Structures are given as C-alpha cells and as structure tokens.
Amino acid sequence: MPTSRRISFRFLLVALTFLCGLAGAVAAGTGERRVALVIGNSAYRAAPALPNPGNDAQDVAAALRAVGFEVIEGRDLDRRGMGEALGRFARAAVDADAALFYYAGHGLQFRGENFLLPVDSAPNDEFGIPYETTRVADVIDALQNAKGVRLLILDACRNNPLADRIASAGRSRDTSIGRGLARIAQTRGMVIAYATQANDVAADGKGRNSPFSAALVEQLAEPGLEVGQLFRRVAAGVNQRTGGRQTPELSISLLGDFYFNRSETDQQAWAKLRDSQDGPALRDFLTRFPKSYLADAARARIETVERAQREEALRRQLATYEEERRKAAAAAESARQAEAARLAAARAEQDKLAAAQAEQRRKAEEDAARQQAEQRRKLDERLAQLEADNRKAQAELAARADDQARRARDDKERERQALERDRLSTAQAEKLKAAETDANRQKQDEDRRIAERLAKLEEENKRAAAELAARLKAEQEIREAGERERARLLAELEAERRRATEELQRVQSAAAAAPARTDEPTRLAALPGGTPEPAKPAVIDLAGLTRTINLELGRVGCYSGKPDGEWSSKATSRAVREFARLAHLDVPGAPTSEFLDVLKRQSGRICPLTCSARQVERDGVCVAKSCPRGERLDADGDCVAPKPKRVAQERSVRPAAARPPAPARAPAPAARGRCFNFNGQSFCE
C-alpha cells in the first residue's frame, strides 16, 4: 500500500474511533437498537487467498460501531462458524430497530439462487453446492427478525475459481452456474446493496480494501446521509475508482428514511454559530468541517469577531491613557494651588515682620525723644547700650536676610519642579497622539484586508457559479444517458415480449399436434436421477408487461416512479387512471397488450408537467428558479433582496491634551456594510 493511502486510512480509523463514543451516546439517547453481522473470508483452502476481504470486514465493523451498531464480527469462517455466527445474529436481531448483514469474500449463483462460500467450501460439482455453502436466503430469514430497517450488503461478486471449476465439471444440463450474483427479489422494508451489478464480477482492488468497501467506509463517516444518498455516493466513488468498469447496484424498499451517521451536520452546527462571538467555537467548526461549503463563512465570521475584539482593546487602551492624563493634570493643578497658598503665606509673614520692625523703631524714637532730657546724664552708658543693641539688631537683620534668601532658593526649586511636571504632561500628550496615529494606521490596514477578502469572495462566487453550470450540464448528460438506457430497456422488453409470444405460439402448435387421446398423460423425459414432471401451461409475464406499461406511462409524463411491475400499486393505478381520463378511455382492470399498444401510439407528453413555486419548466423538466445577483429565492418562489446587516463604525478619539475641549456632538451614522452572495446564501460585512 502506498504511504499516503496508509496514512489517510489510519487517520480515518482514528476519526471513526473518536466518533464511536458520540454515536453510541446518540443511539442510547434515542433508545434505538442496531445490530450487525460482518463476515470477511480471505484464506480459502481450495482456492487462492483473496487479498482484502479480512481488511474489508475489519474496517466496515469499526465504521458501523462508530455509528452505533452492535457488531458481531467474523473472519475466515468455515461452514460451521458461519452457521453459528448467523444464529447469534438472528437472536440479536429480534425486535431490533435496524439489522445489517455485510459479507466480503467468494459467492456464486446456482439456478438463480445466491450462495456464500465459507473458507472450507470445496464443492466438486453442482450437487455439493447446497451442502457446503451458506444460502443468502437463510441470511434474509435472520434479517426478518428485526422490526425496523433490514440491510443486506454483499461484496461477494468476485472472480470465483471454484465456480469456474464447478461449471467446467458440470454433470447435468441444468448446472446454471451464473457469473457474479443473481438479483434478489424485493422484500418490503429491506435495502440490498451489491458491490457490482447483477451477473457481473467486482474488482478486488490493489490497496487495503476493495473499491466498494473503501467507498462504503468513507461514506459511513459522513453525518446526515440518508441510506439512498449514501449508497449513491458509494456507487459514484466505486465508478470513479475503477474508471467506470464497476458500478454497484442498489435495491431499496423502505417506507421511511434511515440514516447511518446521525451526528451533527455542518449546516446544523453553523445554525448555532452563525451569530456567535466565540472565536474558539468558530475555529472548532473549521476543524470539524474543513471541507464544508460554510468554511469560508466561518473564516469571515472569525475575522469579524477578532477585528471587533482588537477595536475594543484599543478603545480600552485609549480610555486608560485619557484617565491617566486627567489624573496627572489634576495632580499638577493641586500642586500649583498648594504652592500659591504657600507663597501667599510667606508674603504675609514678611509683611508682618516689616510692620513689627517699623513699630519698634517708632516706639524707640518716641522713647528716646521723651527721655532725652532725663537720660543726658546717663548718655555715655546709654550710648554704649544702644550700640550693643544696634549690633544685636544688625545680627538679627542679617539672619532674617539669610532666611529670606533660603526661601527664595526654595521658591525657585518649586518653580523648576512645576516646569518639569509641565514637560512630563506634554510628553504624555505626545505619546497619546502617537498611539492615536498608530490606531488609525491599523484601522486603514484592516479596511484594506477586508476589501481584499471581499474581492476574493467575489472571485470564489464566480468560480462556484461556473461549477454550478458544469453540474447542470453534467445532470443534463445524465438525463440524456437515462433516456438512452430507457430506450434500450424498452427494446429489450419488446424483444422479450416477441420471444414470449413466439414461445406461446410454439407451445400451442405443439399442443395442437399432440395425439387426440386424453386418457394417457403426456410424459416428459426425466433428468438423470430425477422423476418425470407434468407439462405446465404457458404463463403470461404480467409483471414484465406491467413494467413495460410503467415505462410507456413515464414517457408520456403520467408516471415518475421506478417500474415496479405491480399493477395494483398506488403509483401505477394513479398513472393509469390519469392517462385514461386524458385519452378518454375506460380504465383497464388488468395489464393488457391492447392498453400497451395505445400507449405506444402516443407521440409525446400527455399528462401536464406540474412544478412547485420555487421551480420553472425548462425543456420539459422542472428546474430551480434563479435570481439576479444580490437577491435570493423566498418560500413563495419570489426573488427578494436580503436586508443588509449594519455595523457601527467607531470614531477615532484624540487625546484631550492635543486639542481644546469641544461641545458634545451627535454620533456618526453607522456605515452600511457590503453584501454579497456565496453558494446561494447572502452575507454582509
């Protein structure tokens, strides 16, 4: 196996193991019981070993456990082992809501009946087939014990050397060893899937798994797929892997829907996260659904959330800067007021001292003038005393002068500190202005990235439209191929009808040419080892005639289902009554060749084509309506323009220190976002 395929397969197994617990919890929550029997036979004793049925069984069992099945698994089982496993499965399937049987290995058809080969099976001729193999009819009987959906999956249409050996050693003329497996008659409430078409051989594959089992394991991991949709995807995958050489076949007879994987789909998860602001949850959506068509919408939502978070952080930072600037300005104003109060107090003290000195000198002069006469005789002593007082006063004045000089120096230091605070406030304002400039530049860069993203989304939308046109063209080619296939089937049915008519005429001629005696019955030659059987009258194939009528009713537009060959079914009865009403005929009670001839004579559509409100008729078929760019289709089938979402656009904030305060202004109107369509949905930024 190549390294890349081995790595991808291991990753798939890990993912299935991870989902196993979740699927089991979902099944337990709903009370639904699912059982499965998975068998893979590789090591055959009488034939070369098959390369991958054992791997197929192991991987399919793991995938079924991951989606809530109780699995009985068996590999390389002999006939007794297959019988015991089938018995366990039959008991487990009683009243189960879903029962599934999967087989990978050799199988063959004998006389129109299918058989599965255990590893010890080695029949030498057709007589040993019923006794050395396991009948598919026994498997269907075990599945009938379930009360709900029954599924039969057979990857057993491989190139079988044992079948070739039995066919080459046939001992009788009715060996009837067919190629591949025979088609099983439909059973109500049952799904039957073959690895390839009936009477054809499937490929073993060159990797770990066969093409059919590899595609089945891959699709079982996809959530939200109905059983019909799942097997159609499996068929497409097998057809692609084999280059068109192998196409699986599916038979469904269900009255309701059945889902293998009931995990949450990408659309359900996105409905919960569409308006979410949780970035980790949005990233988890991308991890779980990386290939979803909603992944681009999730990435756009993540970018919007992260941009809003960055803008909110920037607003908080600017608010913090503004608060710090306001606090610094308040502190500077408080310091200025305190300094002014201190200077005023110092000036008052100086005035008080000057007044005291003046009052003291005045009193001294008055005392000297008044006492001049009395103190003349004591002039010498008083003069000496006055000189001493004068020296003392000069010393005090010098001390006061020194104190005033010191206070002047303190005043200059406070003025220097005030200037330094003003310088720091100016520097803080410049930092705020630089932060505002950087925020504006980041916003411009973000707007440019959004414009580039919108351009990219427009380009992806154009590419999606081109892919849609290609798919429509492919669907038209598929319809044309279906018409060609229907014409081929009509020709084959007509040829079969002619052969049946010729055979009936031949039998009638032989009966007319027989002896007229009625007392002695006609005897047929006995087969070797058998007993004579009485001749059977010719039987008209009413089911084949009904299927041909179904095809003709579909051609004239009165029948849209699959040809079921049942005249009494609701779809057939309704189509017959509608055609008879429009063609002015009596409603036939049974399928007749005359009614078929009337249908064949119709050259075109008889029943009118009815389309829903969201569809229009185009070239005889109903197709979905399309709307102009920027509009979407509502439930009434009208094209309407979606209401755009509005995103508030924040105004840039400048620091208060960089501009004078201005009066309050009304908020700017919200900028209208740009809307676009992607994959049929509208998005607005």
Side-chain angles (χ1 to χ4, degrees), residues 27-72:
T30 58
E32 186 179 42
R33 190 166 68 88
R34 299 175 163 192
V35 296
L37 174 58
V38 178
I39 297 177
N41 288 340
S42 296
Y44 283 93
R45 302 170 188 173
L50 294 175
N52 46 31
N55 299 332
D56 295 339
Q58 179 182 2
D59 298 342
V60 170
L64 291 174
R65 290 189 182 99
V67 295
F69 275 84
E70 302 172 10
V71 180
I72 302 172

mmCIF file of all heavy atoms in Angstrom, residues 27-72:
data_model
loop_
_atom_site.group_PDB
_atom_site.id
_atom_site.type_symbol
_atom_site.label_atom_id
_atom_site.label_comp_id
_atom_site.label_asym_id
_atom_site.label_seq_id
_atom_site.Cartn_x
_atom_site.Cartn_y
_atom_site.Cartn_z
ATOM 1 N N ALA A 27 -27.282 7.018 20.023
ATOM 2 C CA ALA A 27 -28.156 5.852 19.911
ATOM 3 C C ALA A 27 -28.798 5.515 21.238
ATOM 4 O O ALA A 27 -29.970 5.163 21.323
ATOM 5 C CB ALA A 27 -27.358 4.660 19.379
ATOM 6 N N ALA A 28 -28.018 5.627 22.368
ATOM 7 C CA ALA A 28 -28.582 5.355 23.681
ATOM 8 C C ALA A 28 -29.638 6.372 24.042
ATOM 9 O O ALA A 28 -30.650 6.081 24.670
ATOM 10 C CB ALA A 28 -27.471 5.331 24.729
ATOM 11 N N GLY A 29 -29.403 7.650 23.631
ATOM 12 C CA GLY A 29 -30.362 8.702 23.966
ATOM 13 C C GLY A 29 -31.684 8.503 23.254
ATOM 14 O O GLY A 29 -32.735 8.823 23.779
ATOM 15 N N THR A 30 -31.652 7.977 22.021
ATOM 16 C CA THR A 30 -32.892 7.783 21.272
ATOM 17 C C THR A 30 -33.538 6.445 21.577
ATOM 18 O O THR A 30 -34.659 6.209 21.147
ATOM 19 C CB THR A 30 -32.598 7.867 19.766
ATOM 20 O OG1 THR A 30 -31.615 6.874 19.420
ATOM 21 C CG2 THR A 30 -32.064 9.245 19.408
ATOM 22 N N GLY A 31 -32.855 5.540 22.307
ATOM 23 C CA GLY A 31 -33.420 4.242 22.610
ATOM 24 C C GLY A 31 -33.454 3.307 21.418
ATOM 25 O O GLY A 31 -34.157 2.298 21.450
ATOM 26 N N GLU A 32 -32.719 3.577 20.348
ATOM 27 C CA GLU A 32 -32.728 2.750 19.144
ATOM 28 C C GLU A 32 -31.643 1.689 19.251
ATOM 29 O O GLU A 32 -30.520 1.982 19.657
ATOM 30 C CB GLU A 32 -32.500 3.628 17.919
ATOM 31 C CG GLU A 32 -32.634 2.859 16.620
ATOM 32 C CD GLU A 32 -32.428 3.759 15.421
ATOM 33 O OE1 GLU A 32 -31.503 4.591 15.472
ATOM 34 O OE2 GLU A 32 -33.182 3.633 14.455
ATOM 35 N N ARG A 33 -31.991 0.447 18.887
ATOM 36 C CA ARG A 33 -31.024 -0.655 18.952
ATOM 37 C C ARG A 33 -30.679 -1.102 17.535
ATOM 38 O O ARG A 33 -31.570 -1.414 16.742
ATOM 39 C CB ARG A 33 -31.596 -1.818 19.754
ATOM 40 C CG ARG A 33 -30.571 -2.908 20.071
ATOM 41 C CD ARG A 33 -31.087 -3.855 21.132
ATOM 42 N NE ARG A 33 -32.199 -4.637 20.638
ATOM 43 C CZ ARG A 33 -32.078 -5.809 20.002
ATOM 44 N NH1 ARG A 33 -30.880 -6.318 19.789
ATOM 45 N NH2 ARG A 33 -33.137 -6.457 19.574
ATOM 46 N N ARG A 34 -29.373 -1.126 17.225
ATOM 47 C CA ARG A 34 -28.881 -1.514 15.905
ATOM 48 C C ARG A 34 -27.921 -2.690 16.073
ATOM 49 O O ARG A 34 -27.029 -2.641 16.938
ATOM 50 C CB ARG A 34 -28.134 -0.355 15.239
ATOM 51 C CG ARG A 34 -28.971 0.896 15.004
ATOM 52 C CD ARG A 34 -28.105 2.008 14.467
ATOM 53 N NE ARG A 34 -28.871 3.078 13.862
ATOM 54 C CZ ARG A 34 -28.355 4.043 13.124
ATOM 55 N NH1 ARG A 34 -27.054 4.089 12.904
ATOM 56 N NH2 ARG A 34 -29.117 4.983 12.607
ATOM 57 N N VAL A 35 -28.098 -3.730 15.265
ATOM 58 C CA VAL A 35 -27.218 -4.903 15.320
ATOM 59 C C VAL A 35 -26.703 -5.185 13.911
ATOM 60 O O VAL A 35 -27.351 -4.855 12.915
ATOM 61 C CB VAL A 35 -27.952 -6.131 15.884
ATOM 62 C CG1 VAL A 35 -28.370 -5.897 17.329
ATOM 63 C CG2 VAL A 35 -29.176 -6.476 15.042
ATOM 64 N N ALA A 36 -25.516 -5.764 13.829
ATOM 65 C CA ALA A 36 -24.914 -6.053 12.533
ATOM 66 C C ALA A 36 -24.074 -7.318 12.643
ATOM 67 O O ALA A 36 -23.473 -7.599 13.696
ATOM 68 C CB ALA A 36 -24.044 -4.884 12.065
ATOM 69 N N LEU A 37 -24.034 -8.091 11.571
ATOM 70 C CA LEU A 37 -23.136 -9.235 11.416
ATOM 71 C C LEU A 37 -22.214 -8.936 10.244
ATOM 72 O O LEU A 37 -22.677 -8.706 9.127
ATOM 73 C CB LEU A 37 -23.934 -10.525 11.157
ATOM 74 C CG LEU A 37 -23.100 -11.770 10.829
ATOM 75 C CD1 LEU A 37 -22.119 -12.089 11.946
ATOM 76 C CD2 LEU A 37 -24.007 -12.969 10.546
ATOM 77 N N VAL A 38 -20.890 -8.915 10.498
ATOM 78 C CA VAL A 38 -19.886 -8.581 9.486
ATOM 79 C C VAL A 38 -18.964 -9.780 9.332
ATOM 80 O O VAL A 38 -18.337 -10.222 10.310
ATOM 81 C CB VAL A 38 -19.088 -7.329 9.896
ATOM 82 C CG1 VAL A 38 -18.019 -7.035 8.853
ATOM 83 C CG2 VAL A 38 -20.011 -6.131 10.045
ATOM 84 N N ILE A 39 -18.857 -10.333 8.113
ATOM 85 C CA ILE A 39 -18.032 -11.515 7.836
ATOM 86 C C ILE A 39 -17.107 -11.195 6.664
ATOM 87 O O ILE A 39 -17.542 -10.640 5.648
ATOM 88 C CB ILE A 39 -18.904 -12.746 7.500
ATOM 89 C CG1 ILE A 39 -19.777 -13.116 8.712
ATOM 90 C CG2 ILE A 39 -18.036 -13.925 7.092
ATOM 91 C CD1 ILE A 39 -20.728 -14.273 8.444
ATOM 92 N N GLY A 40 -15.823 -11.545 6.813
ATOM 93 C CA GLY A 40 -14.855 -11.399 5.735
ATOM 94 C C GLY A 40 -14.053 -12.675 5.588
ATOM 95 O O GLY A 40 -13.335 -13.073 6.521
ATOM 96 N N ASN A 41 -14.155 -13.362 4.463
ATOM 97 C CA ASN A 41 -13.449 -14.626 4.210
ATOM 98 C C ASN A 41 -12.363 -14.404 3.168
ATOM 99 O O ASN A 41 -12.650 -14.043 2.025
ATOM 100 C CB ASN A 41 -14.430 -15.699 3.731
ATOM 101 C CG ASN A 41 -15.334 -16.195 4.850
ATOM 102 O OD1 ASN A 41 -15.012 -16.033 6.031
ATOM 103 N ND2 ASN A 41 -16.455 -16.795 4.504
ATOM 104 N N SER A 42 -11.108 -14.622 3.572
ATOM 105 C CA SER A 42 -9.966 -14.437 2.668
ATOM 106 C C SER A 42 -9.202 -15.726 2.430
ATOM 107 O O SER A 42 -8.851 -16.060 1.301
ATOM 108 C CB SER A 42 -9.019 -13.366 3.238
ATOM 109 O OG SER A 42 -9.627 -12.114 3.298
ATOM 110 N N ALA A 43 -8.907 -16.463 3.521
ATOM 111 C CA ALA A 43 -7.989 -17.615 3.455
ATOM 112 C C ALA A 43 -8.752 -18.870 3.029
ATOM 113 O O ALA A 43 -9.042 -19.766 3.844
ATOM 114 C CB ALA A 43 -7.306 -17.817 4.805
ATOM 115 N N TYR A 44 -9.099 -18.970 1.753
ATOM 116 C CA TYR A 44 -9.783 -20.159 1.236
ATOM 117 C C TYR A 44 -8.785 -21.310 1.083
ATOM 118 O O TYR A 44 -7.641 -21.110 0.670
ATOM 119 C CB TYR A 44 -10.452 -19.848 -0.099
ATOM 120 C CG TYR A 44 -11.720 -19.064 0.054
ATOM 121 C CD1 TYR A 44 -11.709 -17.669 -0.003
ATOM 122 C CD2 TYR A 44 -12.932 -19.710 0.297
ATOM 123 C CE1 TYR A 44 -12.879 -16.942 0.173
ATOM 124 C CE2 TYR A 44 -14.103 -18.978 0.455
ATOM 125 C CZ TYR A 44 -14.073 -17.609 0.394
ATOM 126 O OH TYR A 44 -15.215 -16.903 0.566
ATOM 127 N N ARG A 45 -9.244 -22.526 1.425
ATOM 128 C CA ARG A 45 -8.358 -23.690 1.410
ATOM 129 C C ARG A 45 -8.284 -24.344 0.038
ATOM 130 O O ARG A 45 -7.291 -24.972 -0.292
ATOM 131 C CB ARG A 45 -8.840 -24.708 2.444
ATOM 132 C CG ARG A 45 -8.909 -24.127 3.860
ATOM 133 C CD ARG A 45 -9.605 -25.067 4.826
ATOM 134 N NE ARG A 45 -9.838 -24.418 6.126
ATOM 135 C CZ ARG A 45 -10.546 -24.951 7.108
ATOM 136 N NH1 ARG A 45 -11.101 -26.158 6.943
ATOM 137 N NH2 ARG A 45 -10.711 -24.282 8.238
ATOM 138 N N ALA A 46 -9.336 -24.202 -0.742
ATOM 139 C CA ALA A 46 -9.360 -24.850 -2.055
ATOM 140 C C ALA A 46 -9.205 -23.839 -3.183
ATOM 141 O O ALA A 46 -9.412 -24.184 -4.344
ATOM 142 C CB ALA A 46 -10.670 -25.622 -2.228
ATOM 143 N N ALA A 47 -8.859 -22.621 -2.867
ATOM 144 C CA ALA A 47 -8.702 -21.582 -3.887
ATOM 145 C C ALA A 47 -7.677 -20.573 -3.380
ATOM 146 O O ALA A 47 -7.404 -20.494 -2.184
ATOM 147 C CB ALA A 47 -10.043 -20.886 -4.161
ATOM 148 N N PRO A 48 -7.068 -19.802 -4.275
ATOM 149 C CA PRO A 48 -6.090 -18.788 -3.835
ATOM 150 C C PRO A 48 -6.739 -17.802 -2.859
ATOM 151 O O PRO A 48 -7.906 -17.456 -2.975
ATOM 152 C CB PRO A 48 -5.684 -18.095 -5.146
ATOM 153 C CG PRO A 48 -5.970 -19.096 -6.209
ATOM 154 C CD PRO A 48 -7.163 -19.872 -5.756
ATOM 155 N N ALA A 49 -5.950 -17.357 -1.879
ATOM 156 C CA ALA A 49 -6.450 -16.415 -0.872
ATOM 157 C C ALA A 49 -6.776 -15.071 -1.521
ATOM 158 O O ALA A 49 -6.085 -14.612 -2.427
ATOM 159 C CB ALA A 49 -5.420 -16.229 0.247
ATOM 160 N N LEU A 50 -7.861 -14.451 -1.035
ATOM 161 C CA LEU A 50 -8.233 -13.116 -1.506
ATOM 162 C C LEU A 50 -7.458 -12.064 -0.704
ATOM 163 O O LEU A 50 -7.235 -12.224 0.504
ATOM 164 C CB LEU A 50 -9.735 -12.896 -1.338
ATOM 165 C CG LEU A 50 -10.624 -13.797 -2.208
ATOM 166 C CD1 LEU A 50 -12.087 -13.590 -1.868
ATOM 167 C CD2 LEU A 50 -10.386 -13.518 -3.684
ATOM 168 N N PRO A 51 -7.037 -10.970 -1.325
ATOM 169 C CA PRO A 51 -6.138 -10.026 -0.637
ATOM 170 C C PRO A 51 -6.790 -9.169 0.434
ATOM 171 O O PRO A 51 -6.134 -8.792 1.394
ATOM 172 C CB PRO A 51 -5.605 -9.153 -1.784
ATOM 173 C CG PRO A 51 -6.677 -9.210 -2.827
ATOM 174 C CD PRO A 51 -7.270 -10.595 -2.746
ATOM 175 N N ASN A 52 -8.102 -8.839 0.286
ATOM 176 C CA ASN A 52 -8.593 -7.806 1.196
ATOM 177 C C ASN A 52 -9.942 -8.046 1.881
ATOM 178 O O ASN A 52 -10.383 -7.155 2.609
ATOM 179 C CB ASN A 52 -8.691 -6.468 0.445
ATOM 180 C CG ASN A 52 -9.353 -6.622 -0.911
ATOM 181 O OD1 ASN A 52 -10.200 -7.480 -1.079
ATOM 182 N ND2 ASN A 52 -8.944 -5.809 -1.864
ATOM 183 N N PRO A 53 -10.676 -9.164 1.750
ATOM 184 C CA PRO A 53 -11.935 -9.298 2.496
ATOM 185 C C PRO A 53 -11.769 -9.197 4.007
ATOM 186 O O PRO A 53 -12.630 -8.651 4.701
ATOM 187 C CB PRO A 53 -12.462 -10.667 2.077
ATOM 188 C CG PRO A 53 -11.922 -10.874 0.706
ATOM 189 C CD PRO A 53 -10.551 -10.261 0.744
ATOM 190 N N GLY A 54 -10.656 -9.727 4.560
ATOM 191 C CA GLY A 54 -10.437 -9.597 6.001
ATOM 192 C C GLY A 54 -10.309 -8.147 6.417
ATOM 193 O O GLY A 54 -10.890 -7.714 7.420
ATOM 194 N N ASN A 55 -9.528 -7.366 5.642
ATOM 195 C CA ASN A 55 -9.411 -5.930 5.932
ATOM 196 C C ASN A 55 -10.755 -5.228 5.759
ATOM 197 O O ASN A 55 -11.109 -4.331 6.540
ATOM 198 C CB ASN A 55 -8.373 -5.296 5.005
ATOM 199 C CG ASN A 55 -6.993 -5.888 5.189
ATOM 200 O OD1 ASN A 55 -6.665 -6.369 6.279
ATOM 201 N ND2 ASN A 55 -6.195 -5.861 4.142
ATOM 202 N N ASP A 56 -11.495 -5.618 4.706
ATOM 203 C CA ASP A 56 -12.801 -5.004 4.480
ATOM 204 C C ASP A 56 -13.723 -5.216 5.676
ATOM 205 O O ASP A 56 -14.375 -4.278 6.156
ATOM 206 C CB ASP A 56 -13.453 -5.591 3.220
ATOM 207 C CG ASP A 56 -12.662 -5.249 1.963
ATOM 208 O OD1 ASP A 56 -11.892 -4.277 2.011
ATOM 209 O OD2 ASP A 56 -12.828 -5.955 0.955
ATOM 210 N N ALA A 57 -13.786 -6.453 6.194
ATOM 211 C CA ALA A 57 -14.659 -6.746 7.331
ATOM 212 C C ALA A 57 -14.227 -5.969 8.571
ATOM 213 O O ALA A 57 -15.052 -5.423 9.309
ATOM 214 C CB ALA A 57 -14.661 -8.242 7.616
ATOM 215 N N GLN A 58 -12.909 -5.912 8.816
ATOM 216 C CA GLN A 58 -12.415 -5.185 9.998
ATOM 217 C C GLN A 58 -12.780 -3.703 9.924
ATOM 218 O O GLN A 58 -13.263 -3.116 10.902
ATOM 219 C CB GLN A 58 -10.899 -5.353 10.104
ATOM 220 C CG GLN A 58 -10.287 -4.625 11.286
ATOM 221 C CD GLN A 58 -8.779 -4.780 11.327
ATOM 222 O OE1 GLN A 58 -8.180 -5.401 10.443
ATOM 223 N NE2 GLN A 58 -8.149 -4.232 12.344
ATOM 224 N N ASP A 59 -12.582 -3.079 8.763
ATOM 225 C CA ASP A 59 -12.831 -1.639 8.642
ATOM 226 C C ASP A 59 -14.324 -1.322 8.637
ATOM 227 O O ASP A 59 -14.760 -0.322 9.222
ATOM 228 C CB ASP A 59 -12.173 -1.109 7.362
ATOM 229 C CG ASP A 59 -10.666 -1.293 7.385
ATOM 230 O OD1 ASP A 59 -10.126 -1.506 8.486
ATOM 231 O OD2 ASP A 59 -10.043 -1.234 6.303
ATOM 232 N N VAL A 60 -15.136 -2.157 7.985
ATOM 233 C CA VAL A 60 -16.585 -1.930 7.989
ATOM 234 C C VAL A 60 -17.146 -2.106 9.403
ATOM 235 O O VAL A 60 -18.014 -1.336 9.847
ATOM 236 C CB VAL A 60 -17.280 -2.874 6.991
ATOM 237 C CG1 VAL A 60 -18.796 -2.818 7.164
ATOM 238 C CG2 VAL A 60 -16.920 -2.493 5.564
ATOM 239 N N ALA A 61 -16.648 -3.102 10.161
ATOM 240 C CA ALA A 61 -17.104 -3.300 11.538
ATOM 241 C C ALA A 61 -16.783 -2.080 12.397
ATOM 242 O O ALA A 61 -17.608 -1.612 13.189
ATOM 243 C CB ALA A 61 -16.464 -4.552 12.127
ATOM 244 N N ALA A 62 -15.555 -1.534 12.239
ATOM 245 C CA ALA A 62 -15.193 -0.333 13.007
ATOM 246 C C ALA A 62 -16.086 0.844 12.631
ATOM 247 O O ALA A 62 -16.520 1.619 13.498
ATOM 248 C CB ALA A 62 -13.725 0.010 12.771
ATOM 249 N N ALA A 63 -16.361 1.013 11.333
ATOM 250 C CA ALA A 63 -17.219 2.117 10.897
ATOM 251 C C ALA A 63 -18.645 1.969 11.429
ATOM 252 O O ALA A 63 -19.276 2.942 11.824
ATOM 253 C CB ALA A 63 -17.236 2.195 9.371
ATOM 254 N N LEU A 64 -19.176 0.725 11.471
ATOM 255 C CA LEU A 64 -20.531 0.510 11.987
ATOM 256 C C LEU A 64 -20.592 0.744 13.492
ATOM 257 O O LEU A 64 -21.570 1.289 14.007
ATOM 258 C CB LEU A 64 -20.997 -0.912 11.647
ATOM 259 C CG LEU A 64 -21.260 -1.185 10.163
ATOM 260 C CD1 LEU A 64 -21.573 -2.654 9.933
ATOM 261 C CD2 LEU A 64 -22.414 -0.324 9.653
ATOM 262 N N ARG A 65 -19.557 0.317 14.226
ATOM 263 C CA ARG A 65 -19.541 0.601 15.672
ATOM 264 C C ARG A 65 -19.533 2.108 15.914
ATOM 265 O O ARG A 65 -20.133 2.599 16.873
ATOM 266 C CB ARG A 65 -18.321 -0.046 16.317
ATOM 267 C CG ARG A 65 -18.383 -1.573 16.383
ATOM 268 C CD ARG A 65 -17.249 -2.137 17.234
ATOM 269 N NE ARG A 65 -17.271 -3.597 17.260
ATOM 270 C CZ ARG A 65 -16.500 -4.373 16.490
ATOM 271 N NH1 ARG A 65 -15.631 -3.800 15.658
ATOM 272 N NH2 ARG A 65 -16.581 -5.681 16.566
ATOM 273 N N ALA A 66 -18.818 2.843 15.053
ATOM 274 C CA ALA A 66 -18.730 4.291 15.226
ATOM 275 C C ALA A 66 -20.079 4.976 15.062
ATOM 276 O O ALA A 66 -20.278 6.074 15.582
ATOM 277 C CB ALA A 66 -17.721 4.889 14.233
ATOM 278 N N VAL A 67 -21.018 4.359 14.338
ATOM 279 C CA VAL A 67 -22.341 4.968 14.140
ATOM 280 C C VAL A 67 -23.417 4.267 14.959
ATOM 281 O O VAL A 67 -24.608 4.402 14.670
ATOM 282 C CB VAL A 67 -22.717 4.972 12.639
ATOM 283 C CG1 VAL A 67 -21.772 5.856 11.870
ATOM 284 C CG2 VAL A 67 -22.727 3.566 12.053
ATOM 285 N N GLY A 68 -23.020 3.496 16.017
ATOM 286 C CA GLY A 68 -23.990 2.993 16.982
ATOM 287 C C GLY A 68 -24.468 1.573 16.777
ATOM 288 O O GLY A 68 -25.455 1.183 17.398
ATOM 289 N N PHE A 69 -23.803 0.737 15.947
ATOM 290 C CA PHE A 69 -24.210 -0.643 15.743
ATOM 291 C C PHE A 69 -23.513 -1.561 16.760
ATOM 292 O O PHE A 69 -22.332 -1.359 17.090
ATOM 293 C CB PHE A 69 -23.856 -1.112 14.328
ATOM 294 C CG PHE A 69 -24.890 -0.757 13.295
ATOM 295 C CD1 PHE A 69 -24.900 0.487 12.703
ATOM 296 C CD2 PHE A 69 -25.868 -1.669 12.931
ATOM 297 C CE1 PHE A 69 -25.844 0.824 11.749
ATOM 298 C CE2 PHE A 69 -26.820 -1.346 11.974
ATOM 299 C CZ PHE A 69 -26.810 -0.101 11.390
ATOM 300 N N GLU A 70 -24.272 -2.572 17.251
ATOM 301 C CA GLU A 70 -23.669 -3.680 17.981
ATOM 302 C C GLU A 70 -23.217 -4.707 16.926
ATOM 303 O O GLU A 70 -24.043 -5.286 16.235
ATOM 304 C CB GLU A 70 -24.677 -4.312 18.934
ATOM 305 C CG GLU A 70 -25.269 -3.335 19.948
ATOM 306 C CD GLU A 70 -26.409 -3.971 20.736
ATOM 307 O OE1 GLU A 70 -26.581 -5.203 20.602
ATOM 308 O OE2 GLU A 70 -27.115 -3.250 21.456
ATOM 309 N N VAL A 71 -21.911 -4.932 16.811
ATOM 310 C CA VAL A 71 -21.358 -5.692 15.689
ATOM 311 C C VAL A 71 -20.913 -7.068 16.150
ATOM 312 O O VAL A 71 -20.176 -7.200 17.145
ATOM 313 C CB VAL A 71 -20.177 -4.933 15.047
ATOM 314 C CG1 VAL A 71 -19.622 -5.743 13.881
ATOM 315 C CG2 VAL A 71 -20.637 -3.571 14.564
ATOM 316 N N ILE A 72 -21.389 -8.098 15.442
ATOM 317 C CA ILE A 72 -20.856 -9.463 15.562
ATOM 318 C C ILE A 72 -19.915 -9.646 14.373
ATOM 319 O O ILE A 72 -20.341 -9.585 13.227
ATOM 320 C CB ILE A 72 -21.987 -10.504 15.537
ATOM 321 C CG1 ILE A 72 -22.984 -10.236 16.676
ATOM 322 C CG2 ILE A 72 -21.418 -11.908 15.622
ATOM 323 C CD1 ILE A 72 -24.225 -11.097 16.606
#
